[in-house]
Every structure is written in C-alpha cells, then in structure tokens.
Amino acid sequence: NGRRVCKCCEGKLINAEEDSFRIIGNSFSKEIRLNSDGSFADTLHLDYNGVYFVRGTSVGTAYLYLEKEKNVQFEADDKKLEDIVFTGDLAVENNYITQKSKLSNEILGDAKSLYSLEETEFLAKLDSFEKKCNELLESAAFTVSDFKEKEIKNIHYNKENNLYSYSAYHGYLIGDQEFKVSDNFPKT
C-alpha cells in the first residue's frame, strides 16, 4: 500500500490530561495510548519521511521528524512540549528542530508582533534568525544524509516567505491598506 514502517514512537509524556496524544502529519493522524506512568510505545505506518507534529493533551504541539525504519524516543512534559528531548536514531535531527523552534519563538516571536514591526526592525530580526539558524545547522552532526541540504533550503524559503508576506500583513496590522515597502526592501 506504499506505506513505510517507522518503529519510532516510544518514550514518556508526563502531566498529560488524557490517556493518549496524537502524532499528526499531512494526511496522517495516529492516536498513541499512554500507560499510567506516561510511558508509551507504538509503531507508525508512514506515507512520507519528514516533519510531523506531536499534539499533546493540553494546548501544545512539538515538531517531530520521522523516517522509515528509524527509531526515535522522546520525553516531554505535556504542559511544556517546547522542552521535548529526543534520543534514538533521529535524535540529532529532532533536537535541532526543537532548538530552531525555540530560536523562532525567541527572536521572531508571534506573527502579529513580527509583522507589526517597522521595516528595519523586521529585517534585522529576519537576519538574526537566519544567522542563528545557520550557526545551529553548522554545529549539528546530522545522521540523515540529505537533512542538512534540505534544511539550508528551508531556512532560505522561510526568510523569503516572511519577506514576501511583510507588505500585506504589515499594512493590515497597522491599518494602512495602501502600505508599500521602501525601495530598499529586499526583493523576493
């Protein structure tokens, strides 16, 4: 049926409000049952290698990178999924993604705050985020052969998308539908 097995899902989720959580991806959703101590183990049948999400029982989500035939374990507090810690075959990739997500929250903040910034401050934040992501990328020893190459593109596309979106979002957020970026604003 084209699905690949990923025996990847084991670990512990503490402070869960329910007895299960979900792993979600593109056209994929799997409920994972928790034991009374928060431990779990399951096998997933995946349609693709890539990024999925751990949706906890409260309000949080965390990124989860999965590949066929690779194992990954994680431990997390359902109340603080942003502090998830990975071990196993895909630990380096997943811990990188977690750190990158923290950098995004720390440097860029939420979309409303980011796109409300004036042009120079907005561009400075994008440049800072790109620089920190590239430093993080260079410091990691990935186990998946093409992960770094794909992530270089992802960092670039993320910046291009933010640049492209700035004019419309900024104008909307400041209440000026006629807003136009300056001539010095980078072209996408």
Side-chain angles (χ1 to χ4, degrees):
N1 67 3
R3 289 187 170 228
R4 301 172 228 159
V5 172
C6 174
K7 184 180 162 194
C8 59
C9 191
E10 54 187 298
K12 194 166 195 172
L13 183 66
I14 62 168
N15 290 325
E17 295 176 4
E18 298 172 22
D19 64 354
S20 66
F21 68 95
R22 294 196 89 68
I23 294 180
I24 299 168
N26 294 331
S27 301
F28 179 88
S29 182
K30 168 87 182 212
E31 182 177 13
I32 309 294
R33 292 266 166 218
L34 295 169
N35 296 320
S36 59
D37 65 351
S39 63
F40 59 89
D42 208 330
T43 300
L44 303 179
H45 301 278
L46 306 174
D47 289 327
Y48 65 93
N49 294 336
V51 177
Y52 293 75
F53 296 92
V54 175
R55 178 164 295 149
T57 65
S58 55
V59 295
T61 59
Y63 293 103
L64 176 64
Y65 182 79
L66 300 175
E67 281 212 355
K68 65 178 180 175
E69 305 300 327
K70 299 280 184 171
N71 295 312
V72 67
Q73 296 82 35
F74 65 85
E75 291 194 12
D77 184 330
D78 192 45
K79 308 282 189 252
K80 296 185 285 185
L81 276 177
E82 67 275 8
D83 293 332
I84 193 168
V85 176
F86 294 91
T87 56
D89 297 338
L90 298 170
V92 175
E93 289 76 11
N94 277 294
N95 287 319
Y96 163 84
I97 290 171
T98 299
Q99 291 304 311
K100 183 179 157 195
S101 178
K102 286 181 180 182
L103 282 175
S104 177
N105 291 335
E106 179 184 305
I107 297 170
L108 301 179
D110 65 89
K112 184 176 180 181
S113 299
L114 179 65
Y115 290 115
S116 294
L117 296 172
E118 290 306 316
E119 231 177 76
T120 53
E121 196 175 351
F122 172 80
L123 292 172
K125 286 208 179 242
L126 287 188
D127 288 344
S128 174
F129 180 62
E130 180 182 44
K131 181 179 183 245
K132 293 286 187 187
C133 285
N134 283 323
E135 288 170 2
L136 184 63
L137 186 68
E138 290 304 318
S139 70
F142 299 112
T143 60
V144 175
S145 61
D146 63 346
F147 188 88
K148 183 175 182 179
E149 179 184 314
K150 287 179 181 176
E151 191 55 27
I152 289 169
K153 291 177 184 175
N154 190 30
I155 291 168
H156 173 76
Y157 294 145
N158 179 274
K159 184 174 183 180
E160 290 293 309
N161 183 55
N162 280 315
L163 290 170
Y164 176 80
S165 302
Y166 179 75
S167 182
Y169 288 151
H170 184 73
Y172 173 79
L173 290 167
I174 65 169
D176 180 1
Q177 301 307 316
E178 304 299 314
F179 172 79
K180 300 280 186 238
V181 296
S182 73
D183 291 339
N184 297 331
F185 195 82
K187 307 292 184 239
T188 55

